Amino acid sequence: MTPERETSARERGPVGATAATRPRTRLDQPRSPRRRLLPEWDPEAFGRLSERIARFLGTGRFIVWMTVVIIAWVLWNIFAPRDVRFDNYPFIFLTLMLSLQASYAAPLILLAQNRQDDRDRVNLEQDRKQNERSIADTEYLTREIAALRIGLGEVATRDWIRSELQDLMKELEARQHHDGHVVFPAERSDRPSGRDVDDR
């Protein structure tokens, strides 16, 4: 292939049915965010809000307030003048409001329970790893203590050395009495005071 043909092939670009229509993407740069039709929200903030609502729904304060609202609703729609009543005797609107409140409360409680399950799972995994580390540390310390005990069993202690020296002295004294010669020259009575025998 001649150099003129190589340059003309490079200038034409990629060949094929999809090569011309495919947009070039750069791998060294992040993609630009896409536009979304639905609004975005922070799932953590929504989860915290659902937990707060679920905690409030599980308190006695919520039950008291809901009871007060229902009693006031019923009393207003029974004893108030007819033209200011907004929900007559079958209390259909009250039933609708209570079912609406229950339909929102159930998913919020389930979401809070799922978040609590996730936290419990993470805590359980951390506790398991901590227990494994504690067991490994305990086994290591047990091996070290056993090695120290074995090592101390072979070390000569002061009492053992003292007893061995006393046994040796008794054996030497017994030989002295048996043979009749002095084993310890320092114990002779003719030794001059202040000077050893070897210093002469």
Side-chain angles (χ1 to χ4, degrees), residues 59-173:
T59 59
R61 184 187 303 171
F62 171 73
I63 295 172
V64 169
W65 278 110
M66 190 173 73
T67 305
V68 167
V69 167
I70 291 172
I71 289 172
W73 187 299
V74 170
L75 290 177
W76 178 266
N77 288 302
I78 290 176
F79 297 111
R82 270 191 194 279
D83 52 345
V84 291
R85 292 181 195 172
F86 55 89
D87 190 16
N88 288 325
Y89 165 64
F91 306 119
I92 296 172
F93 188 49
L94 177 63
T95 308
L96 177 66
M97 293 301 293
L98 290 176
S99 63
L100 183 66
Q101 180 259 331
S103 66
Y104 272 100
L108 289 174
I109 291 170
L110 288 175
L111 180 59
Q113 286 179 348
N114 290 338
R115 284 173 57 87
Q116 186 63 40
D117 289 342
D118 292 341
R119 276 197 299 269
D120 291 342
R121 192 178 305 113
V122 169
N123 290 335
L124 187 64
E125 185 68 22
Q126 288 177 352
D127 290 344
R128 188 182 63 78
K129 289 180 181 177
Q130 181 66 33
N131 288 339
E132 287 177 358
R133 284 194 295 268
S134 299
I135 289 171
D137 291 344
T138 305
E139 289 176 354
Y140 172 75
L141 289 175
T142 304
R143 287 194 299 270
E144 289 294 316
I145 290 172
L148 285 174
R149 283 184 179 172
I150 291 170
L152 284 176
E154 299 173 356
V155 172
T157 59
R158 184 177 60 186
D159 294 335
W160 182 80
I161 292 174
R162 185 178 293 149
S163 66
E164 290 293 318
L165 287 175
Q166 286 175 355
D167 291 343
L168 184 62
M169 287 180 65
K170 286 178 186 176
E171 186 180 341
L172 289 175
E173 286 175 0

